[in-house]
Amino acid sequence: MAEQKKFVESITPRDKDFTQWYTDVCMQADLLAYSNLKGFMVIKPAGYAIWENIQKNLDARFKATGVTNVYMPLLIPENLMKKEGELVNGFAPEVAWVTAGGTEPLTERLCVRPTSETLFSDFFAQDVHSYRDLPRLYNQWCSVVRWEKETRPFLRSREFLWQEGHTIHETAEEAEARTQQMLNVYADFLAEELAIPTIKGQKTDKEKFAGAEATYTIEALMHDGRALQSGTSHYFGSKFAEAYGIQVTGRDNKLNYVYQTSWGMTTRVIGALIMVHGDDSGIVLPPHIAPTQVCIIPIQQKKEGVLETAAKIAASLSAYRVKVDDSERSPGFKFAAQEVSGIPLRIEIGPKDIAAGKAVIVRRDTREKIECAIGELPVRVGEELERMQREMLERATAHLAKHTFAAHNAEEFEEDFRETKGFVKAMWCGDRACEDKIKEMYGVTSRCIPFRQEEIAGTCVCCGKPAKKMVYWAKAY
Amino acid sequence: MAEQKKFVESITPRDKDFTQWYTDVCMQADLLAYSNLKGFMVIKPAGYAIWENIQKNLDARFKATGVTNVYMPLLIPENLMKKEGELVNGFAPEVAWVTAGGTEPLTERLCVRPTSETLFSDFFAQDVHSYRDLPRLYNQWCSVVRWEKETRPFLRSREFLWQEGHTIHETAEEAEARTQQMLNVYADFLAEELAIPTIKGQKTDKEKFAGAEATYTIEALMHDGRALQSGTSHYFGSKFAEAYGIQVTGRDNKLNYVYQTSWGMTTRVIGALIMVHGDDSGIVLPPHIAPTQVCIIPIQQKKEGVLETAAKIAASLSAYRVKVDDSERSPGFKFAAQEVSGIPLRIEIGPKDIAAGKAVIVRRDTREKIECAIGELPVRVGEELERMQREMLERATAHLAKHTFAAHNAEEFEEDFRETKGFVKAMWCGDRACEDKIKEMYGVTSRCIPFRQEEIAGTCVCCGKPAKKMVYWAKAY
């Protein structure tokens, strides 16, 4: 078992130093490598395969709602970027500027897209003429660049991969409904595929997207009790339409501005997967999203019939994503390799098992060992994958519930953030000043004003004035 | 039929002005829009859907050969780019430079990747240690930027989408074999999916990729007789390995440099699709790659049972990519819309057809009308799609053969390029001087030294000295 220890020893225990554990796990599971440019990462095959599965699943969900994919330019002329004041003020401090093309300086700076509202708006202005052309429901998969100061793999990097959806509509109601619809797509995707429960709600004015009238968010809770914003959906009203001249002839035969939305999800959710489900042996991937769902590990593989049986089992499991580890490494090494990379199930098969006509299934999350007749594996593996998927969501949901606290007053609020980690629900008067003060005092931010409001008290937890909304607060990534 | 004319009239006839025809067709088929930044295009849903199908099919072909996907940074530090002299000299005149991140100037310029050999090489140098780690077979899907002077939609743009494969190997033979293997993947893909025959061969030293020891290419012939380089595969030997220090401990227990390849295919092949198969009514998509394979157009759709029958037919064709055009527009308009966008088959279904229990299938390429009993549509549509796919390749192959000429001497060579358009096969002494002279005299370039050599003469078509190789020459995009 010396080799198995090697993996495990190189991972800092999760409860000792969560930050170091996270980095160790990313590296040991071979998800990425640092490039020689700060904040830019190389996503390695194991990491990229997770992203490919996320893309495939999300893309199908988008298309089921009528969205089609397009591609917009990578670079944005400065004057185009500047047309909408709030957006440019929000992003200007963190964009990368191209100033030369080939051997000649450019007459106008171009920024590497940090997000593409400006490009879509400029395009929409030419693309639609009549209310009959609406809605336009577009999405693109691409990378964006934001010159962040602090960077961490997947969670915050200067370049990241994402999708950005951009839609325009005839009415405010329709655009608002689309904003909510896409937030629900994100929440369903996280729950059903990533086994991550989230809180749905609206961002405060302070935390909303630059240029948005309203930003909706799904907030997930990591194992260490910190929150991660996992997907956002923005309602712009006609703000961009007015700045970029997106008008259509309406049913009233007059020129009307359109109503606009955008929504995005990024490679950051890979960080969420790791921090919600991972343990001291590595990452744990929910079966629905795992690039490999089952790893078959032959024991005493040189003995007659072992590799043949392993291959037959693999063939019988063709409905799942299966691999056989028939490398020259020891079973102990293979177990550790399968565990660190989070493959949901492993099947151990050796001469004794074969003689008894059975195999052993081991679940990655619980380590539960399940004996199973070889002929029953195709059915049993399917059942266990679904059971694991379900139980991972249940455990994450229980963790979220256990680490969500209600603070009825300032004392409880302080106590919650001094003694525990997680979400704290508390009433808020709606004033920016209280939001700022809470951040300053406790280092926590308002995560969202949840759609499911509760009246846990009548007054603001900060100033004691009459409360308007219940807010989720937390330390966040 | 006034509406139908509207589409057709806005397309310049192909044989009148091929360049204008190409632009008209791109626009009328709604494949793209110009952005307000020269050389950067917006790929619209109809264009991007073609790219998605290309990606899906090519990606599966790559994976079947053991390739996995990764993602490398968008930006390359200047010093990293400079390590391999030939590459930087080849690309320096046409890269975009980032000089500021956020509000501060950078201490070192970063270029937006024009290609990623340097990034992969830098990564490989850390990633492999022993010959046991080889081969590494990586690919990425991304966009690249090259500051071209002349730009044309899909064919030459300052930003384009592509895939770039990068592999490293223990031996020169293995790397050479991989270079050829991927060239064959490209050629097979073009023939089997895009119905485009190609000439496979090697680029001359003058035309090869900056930094490559050998560049292999597939060359296609457009309808107007000009060639289009449609995919390239490069063998680097150990040139990058030496510049970036990619070494492994070999079987001989010594440090050895690895052998490297790269290979790429771009959105340019969408241009090839248009220019090989399109006609005066619009684009014609080969069934295998068409986002919509069948468009069902109801005639007199307000009459009882018409839309219901159209929907039933669509349901019975669920094995194919089908849509029903039940919009309020006239059948004539719908026919023209289906034709301009190149949907392979349309099915016309009206009250008379329904009464007779049949429908009419119309092929996009030949306009052939096929009567078919409604119940037999599922089988017949499949057969017609395959027949059309096959015949499109046959026609393109015949066109290629008809426009390929053999020039046995200088007089014939001159005559061929004065009187006709297409590929001219001619013998070459191997000297750069003759290659330059031919380009200067006839405006044609050496497309490739084909793998299938013929000895059509004994002397160079330019200088009359003993010939070494037969070369394909053509005007090229």
Side-chain angles (χ1 to χ4, degrees):
Chain A
M1 299 303 272
E3 286 162 323
Q4 184 162 10
K5 272 193 188 152
K6 203 174 65 184
F7 272 109
V8 175
E9 280 172 3
S10 59
I11 297 175
T12 304
R14 185 174 55 167
D15 292 333
K16 187 179 160 200
D17 180 347
F18 194 77
T19 303
Q20 189 57 48
W21 167 84
Y22 176 77
T23 308
D24 290 349
V25 159
C26 283
M27 295 299 152
Q28 293 301 322
D30 221 16
L31 302 182
L32 57 83
Y34 295 110
S35 80
N36 64 12
L37 185 59
K38 178 185 155 66
F40 287 76
M41 59 185 171
V42 174
I43 307 183
K44 295 175 78 170
Y48 200 81
I50 297 171
W51 183 239
E52 282 182 303
N53 281 357
I54 289 171
Q55 283 190 299
K56 198 171 152 188
N57 191 290
L58 257 188
D59 196 68
R61 288 173 185 258
F62 296 159
K63 284 179 175 155
T65 73
V67 171
T68 52
N69 287 330
V70 298
Y71 186 76
M72 289 283 155
L74 171 72
L75 302 178
I76 310 173
E78 188 168 17
N79 78 67
L80 183 67
M81 186 80 180
K82 279 185 171 166
K83 280 192 183 175
E84 205 291 311
E86 285 181 52
L87 186 89
V88 72
N89 291 337
F91 281 101
E94 53 178 50
V95 297
W97 291 104
V98 171
T99 56
T103 50
E104 285 171 27
L106 299 173
T107 52
E108 180 185 12
R109 296 200 297 177
L110 308 171
C111 87
V112 181
R113 67 179 158 227
T115 181
S116 305
E117 277 73 13
T118 55
L119 293 166
F120 274 92
S121 295
D122 189 52
F123 169 68
F124 284 140
Q126 314 160 34
D127 195 42
V128 293
H129 308 286
S130 154
Y131 72 90
R132 288 187 195 86
D133 298 332
L134 300 176
R136 289 288 203 233
L137 310 172
Y138 292 152
N139 176 63
Q140 76 174 353
W141 292 94
C142 62
S143 84
V144 288
V145 170
R146 299 180 185 175
W147 220 254
E148 303 277 357
K149 291 211 168 53
E150 298 294 320
T151 63
R152 290 191 62 194
F154 295 122
L155 300 175
R156 195 171 290 278
S157 44
R158 287 187 171 173
E159 181 188 18
F160 57 86
L161 302 182
W162 79 343
Q163 59 67 219
E164 47 178 322
H166 295 266
T167 72
I168 49 173
H169 304 265
E170 190 184 353
T171 65
E173 295 67 37
E174 204 187 304
E176 264 281 7
R178 171 58 63 168
T179 316
Q180 304 270 350
Q181 180 183 18
M182 300 320 288
L183 192 77
N184 286 331
V185 166
Y186 289 149
D188 292 348
F189 170 74
L190 257 74
E192 294 165 12
E193 313 299 342
L194 308 190
I196 298 177
T198 51
I199 306 296
K200 282 187 248 185
Q202 183 171 353
K203 288 284 182 193
T204 61
D205 280 351
K206 175 181 169 162
E207 299 287 336
K208 76 180 182 187
F209 182 80
E213 286 206 359
T215 290
Y216 302 99
T217 179
I218 52 172
E219 300 282 326
L221 194 68
M222 304 298 101
H223 178 81
D224 67 343
R226 289 175 74 173
L228 187 80
Q229 177 182 303
S230 303
T232 49
S233 186
H234 314 291
Y235 173 64
F236 293 115
S238 294
K239 212 177 255 186
F240 282 93
E242 286 166 19
Y244 290 82
I246 319 173
Q247 285 182 304
V248 295
T249 308
R251 289 171 208 269
D252 56 4
N253 228 8
K254 290 180 186 160
L255 275 179
N256 296 314
Y257 288 114
V258 301
Y259 297 85
Q260 196 164 353
T261 84
S262 79
W263 26 277
M265 183 168 278
T266 81
T267 33
R268 182 164 231 233
V269 291
I270 298 176
L273 269 179
I274 298 166
M275 293 196 293
V276 168
H277 301 302
D279 64 21
D280 286 353
S281 302
I283 64 173
V284 180
L285 291 172
H288 288 185
I289 215 73
T292 302
Q293 296 174 308
V294 182
C295 182
I296 300 171
I297 299 182
I299 314 292
Q300 296 183 277
Q301 66 184 36
K302 301 217 162 141
K303 294 226 169 147
E304 201 186 326
V306 174
L307 284 178
E308 290 79 354
T309 307
K312 268 186 209 160
I313 291 173
S316 78
L317 298 177
S318 61
Y320 314 104
R321 299 184 288 271
V322 178
K323 73 169 188 188
V324 178
D325 187 348
D326 57 3
S327 65
E328 293 292 309
R329 304 175 302 180
S330 72
F333 185 97
K334 293 177 186 181
F335 293 170
Q338 168 255 324
E339 291 189 352
V340 79
S341 58
I343 298 169
L345 299 183
R346 82 168 171 252
I347 295 178
E348 304 173 2
I349 181 83
K352 282 181 199 162
D353 304 303
I354 294 170
K358 61 182 187 54
V360 178
I361 304 172
V362 185
R363 255 174 68 168
R364 170 63 184 88
D365 58 336
T366 56
R367 257 65 165 211
E368 189 183 345
K369 292 192 173 206
I370 302 146
E371 284 206 348
C372 179
I374 289 174
E376 287 168 18
L377 280 170
V379 171
R380 192 65 192 263
V381 161
E383 288 169 359
E384 290 303 327
L385 289 171
E386 283 311 305
R387 187 160 69 96
M388 177 168 165
Q389 180 79 30
R390 196 173 57 243
E391 290 178 10
M392 285 180 76
L393 177 60
E394 285 167 5
R395 275 199 306 277
T397 305
H399 181 266
L400 172 61
K402 197 181 157 194
H403 293 85
T404 301
F405 309 92
H408 300 83
N409 50 49
E411 293 69 39
E412 286 182 25
F413 195 74
E414 192 185 341
E415 202 178 299
D416 281 339
F417 278 118
R418 205 177 50 225
E419 297 187 359
T420 56
K421 283 176 175 174
F423 284 124
V424 174
K425 302 187 280 193
M427 300 309 290
W428 177 49
C429 61
D431 285 352
R432 170 77 181 252
C434 286
E435 202 178 351
D436 288 340
K437 193 174 168 194
I438 288 173
K439 187 175 179 182
E440 199 191 310
M441 288 179 70
Y442 307 107
V444 301
T445 49
S446 70
R447 304 315 310 155
C448 69
I449 304 161
F451 295 152
R452 285 198 195 168
Q453 284 286 309
E454 301 164 50
E455 269 216 52
I456 54 179
T459 53
C460 175
V461 80
C462 182
C463 66
K465 287 185 196 147
K468 284 188 182 146
K469 296 283 180 188
M470 184 186 83
V471 169
Y472 272 80
W473 302 87
K475 283 200 175 65
Y477 281 98
Chain B
M1 298 302 272
E3 285 162 323
Q4 184 163 8
K5 273 195 189 148
K6 202 175 63 184
F7 271 110
V8 175
E9 280 170 6
S10 59
I11 298 176
T12 304
R14 185 175 55 166
D15 293 330
K16 188 180 161 199
D17 181 348
F18 194 76
T19 304
Q20 190 57 49
W21 167 83
Y22 177 76
T23 308
D24 290 349
V25 160
C26 283
M27 295 300 151
Q28 293 301 322
D30 221 17
L31 302 182
L32 58 83
Y34 295 109
S35 80
N36 64 12
L37 185 59
K38 178 185 155 63
F40 287 75
M41 57 185 173
V42 174
I43 307 182
K44 294 175 78 170
Y48 200 81
I50 297 172
W51 183 240
E52 282 182 304
N53 281 357
I54 290 172
Q55 282 190 299
K56 197 171 153 188
N57 190 292
L58 257 188
D59 196 69
R61 287 173 185 258
F62 296 158
K63 284 178 176 156
T65 74
V67 170
T68 51
N69 287 331
V70 299
Y71 187 76
M72 290 283 153
L74 171 71
L75 302 178
I76 311 173
E78 188 168 16
N79 78 66
L80 184 66
M81 187 79 180
K82 279 186 171 165
K83 280 194 185 175
E84 205 291 313
E86 286 180 50
L87 186 90
V88 72
N89 290 338
F91 281 101
E94 53 179 48
V95 297
W97 291 103
V98 171
T99 56
T103 50
E104 284 172 28
L106 299 173
T107 52
E108 180 185 10
R109 296 200 297 177
L110 308 171
C111 87
V112 181
R113 66 178 160 227
T115 182
S116 305
E117 277 73 13
T118 55
L119 293 165
F120 274 92
S121 295
D122 189 52
F123 169 68
F124 284 140
Q126 317 159 34
D127 194 42
V128 292
H129 307 286
S130 154
Y131 72 90
R132 288 187 196 85
D133 298 334
L134 300 176
R136 290 287 204 235
L137 310 172
Y138 293 150
N139 176 63
Q140 76 174 353
W141 292 95
C142 63
S143 84
V144 289
V145 170
R146 298 179 186 176
W147 220 255
E148 304 277 359
K149 292 211 167 56
E150 298 295 319
T151 62
R152 289 191 61 194
F154 295 124
L155 300 176
R156 195 172 291 278
S157 44
R158 287 187 171 172
E159 180 188 17
F160 57 86
L161 302 181
W162 80 343
Q163 60 65 220
E164 48 179 321
H166 296 266
T167 72
I168 49 173
H169 304 266
E170 190 184 352
T171 65
E173 294 67 37
E174 203 187 306
E176 264 281 7
R178 170 60 62 169
T179 315
Q180 304 270 349
Q181 180 183 19
M182 301 320 287
L183 192 76
N184 287 331
V185 166
Y186 290 150
D188 292 349
F189 170 74
L190 257 73
E192 294 165 13
E193 313 299 341
L194 307 191
I196 298 177
T198 50
I199 306 294
K200 283 188 245 183
Q202 184 171 352
K203 287 286 184 191
T204 60
D205 279 353
K206 175 181 170 164
E207 298 289 336
K208 76 181 184 187
F209 181 80
E213 286 205 0
T215 289
Y216 302 100
T217 180
I218 52 171
E219 299 284 326
L221 194 68
M222 304 298 101
H223 178 80
D224 67 342
R226 289 176 73 173
L228 187 80
Q229 176 182 306
S230 304
T232 49
S233 186
H234 313 291
Y235 171 65
F236 294 115
S238 293
K239 212 177 256 185
F240 282 94
E242 286 166 20
Y244 290 82
I246 319 172
Q247 286 182 304
V248 295
T249 307
R251 288 170 209 268
D252 56 4
N253 229 7
K254 290 179 187 159
L255 275 179
N256 297 313
Y257 288 113
V258 302
Y259 298 85
Q260 198 164 351
T261 84
S262 79
W263 25 277
M265 184 169 276
T266 80
T267 32
R268 181 163 231 232
V269 292
I270 298 176
L273 269 180
I274 299 166
M275 292 196 293
V276 169
H277 301 302
D279 63 22
D280 284 353
S281 302
I283 64 173
V284 180
L285 291 172
H288 288 186
I289 215 73
T292 303
Q293 296 173 308
V294 182
C295 181
I296 300 170
I297 300 182
I299 315 292
Q300 296 184 278
Q301 67 184 34
K302 300 214 163 145
K303 294 227 167 144
E304 200 187 328
V306 174
L307 284 178
E308 290 78 356
T309 307
K312 267 186 208 160
I313 291 173
S316 77
L317 297 176
S318 62
Y320 314 103
R321 300 185 286 274
V322 178
K323 73 168 188 188
V324 178
D325 187 348
D326 57 2
S327 65
E328 293 292 310
R329 304 175 302 179
S330 73
F333 185 96
K334 293 178 185 178
F335 293 170
Q338 168 255 322
E339 291 189 352
V340 79
S341 60
I343 298 170
L345 300 182
R346 81 167 173 254
I347 295 177
E348 304 173 3
I349 181 83
K352 282 180 199 163
D353 304 303
I354 295 169
K358 61 183 185 54
V360 178
I361 303 173
V362 184
R363 256 174 68 167
R364 170 64 183 86
D365 57 338
T366 57
R367 258 67 166 208
E368 191 182 342
K369 292 194 172 202
I370 301 146
E371 285 206 346
C372 180
I374 290 175
E376 288 168 18
L377 280 171
V379 170
R380 193 62 192 266
V381 161
E383 288 169 359
E384 291 303 326
L385 289 172
E386 282 312 304
R387 188 160 70 96
M388 177 169 165
Q389 179 79 31
R390 197 173 57 242
E391 290 178 7
M392 286 180 76
L393 178 60
E394 285 166 6
R395 273 199 306 277
T397 305
H399 181 267
L400 172 62
K402 196 180 159 194
H403 293 84
T404 301
F405 308 92
H408 300 84
N409 50 49
E411 293 69 41
E412 285 183 26
F413 195 75
E414 193 186 338
E415 202 178 299
D416 280 340
F417 278 118
R418 204 177 49 222
E419 296 187 0
T420 55
K421 282 176 176 174
F423 283 125
V424 175
K425 302 188 280 191
M427 300 310 290
W428 176 50
C429 62
D431 284 353
R432 170 78 182 254
C434 285
E435 202 179 351
D436 288 340
K437 193 173 167 192
I438 288 172
K439 187 174 180 183
E440 200 191 309
M441 288 178 69
Y442 307 106
V444 299
T445 49
S446 70
R447 302 318 306 155
C448 68
I449 304 161
F451 294 152
R452 285 198 195 169
Q453 284 286 308
E454 302 164 48
E455 268 215 55
I456 54 178
T459 53
C460 175
V461 81
C462 182
C463 66
K465 285 184 198 152
K468 284 189 182 144
K469 296 282 180 189
M470 185 188 80
V471 169
Y472 271 80
W473 302 87
K475 284 200 173 67
Y477 281 97

